[in-house]
Amino acid sequence: MSHEGIRFVTEEQARREEAAHKELPREATEPLKVRVQKTEGTGMEIDWKDGHKSRWTFAWLRNACPCATCHEEREKAGREPGEPKPQATSLLPMYQAPPRPDSVAPTGKYAISFHWNDGHTSGIYSWDYLRRHCVCEECTAQRTS
């Protein structure tokens, strides 16, 4: 008997997936102000219409790319969005420039996209995705409780 297509999840995974699909209030996923600190190279900040503030580093954003390729690679490796790939241990690691966007553009009224300095351009970061992956202490605590 084949079990293809059947996926077994832990209770914790099921709870996280359920929370990820819960609809957020509109004010929670509509930005009031978006600041991308491209020149400074520090990251992006969003003030949401519900009064919440979120901040991400460019490294976190690049490691959380929501495109299908990056998402599948993270899932296979068991990494969460924003979690970096493990680096190979070698005597002389190759230098890799820190992630920075070469350009940033709005995608309709629902998202933002980055053209990264490593050549990657296919991720569309929806406001909903960003709010669900807010890395502030309050949001992180809510996801882990």
Side-chain angles (χ1 to χ4, degrees):
M1 179 189 300
S2 172
H3 293 290
E4 267 185 61
I6 297 175
R7 188 173 73 114
F8 296 97
V9 296
T10 65
E11 188 176 323
E12 173 67 19
Q13 287 170 318
R15 189 175 54 76
R16 265 192 266 149
E17 286 179 15
E18 184 178 315
H21 296 299
K22 184 176 137 187
E23 192 163 334
L24 295 172
R26 186 174 180 168
E27 298 80 31
T29 59
E30 285 189 9
L32 183 62
K33 189 175 193 180
V34 178
R35 292 175 300 285
V36 179
Q37 290 102 9
K38 188 173 166 243
T39 304
E40 299 90 342
T42 54
M44 179 172 71
E45 298 175 1
I46 297 178
D47 295 343
W48 302 98
K49 286 189 175 179
D50 69 352
H52 191 76
K53 294 180 187 295
S54 301
R55 175 181 291 154
W56 303 267
T57 64
F58 287 138
W60 190 96
L61 289 165
R62 178 61 186 91
N63 288 318
C65 177
C67 80
T69 303
C70 292
H71 176 77
E72 288 174 13
E73 187 276 325
R74 270 195 314 275
E75 266 195 348
K76 284 180 185 174
R79 293 184 297 114
E80 293 293 320
E83 188 178 333
K85 294 178 186 177
Q87 296 299 313
T89 54
S90 65
L91 295 174
L92 297 171
M94 294 293 292
Y95 171 77
Q96 188 172 359
R100 287 183 74 151
D102 288 331
S103 64
V104 182
T107 304
K109 291 185 177 185
Y110 71 96
I112 191 166
S113 61
F114 297 91
H115 288 211
W116 296 102
N117 59 341
D118 65 1
H120 191 66
T121 62
S122 55
I124 297 174
Y125 297 74
S126 72
W127 304 134
D128 184 82
Y129 179 82
L130 290 167
R131 181 60 186 262
R132 288 179 189 278
H133 293 91
C134 177
V135 295
C136 78
E137 286 183 31
E138 178 186 341
C139 293
T140 302
Q142 285 177 1
R143 282 193 302 270
T144 58
S145 62

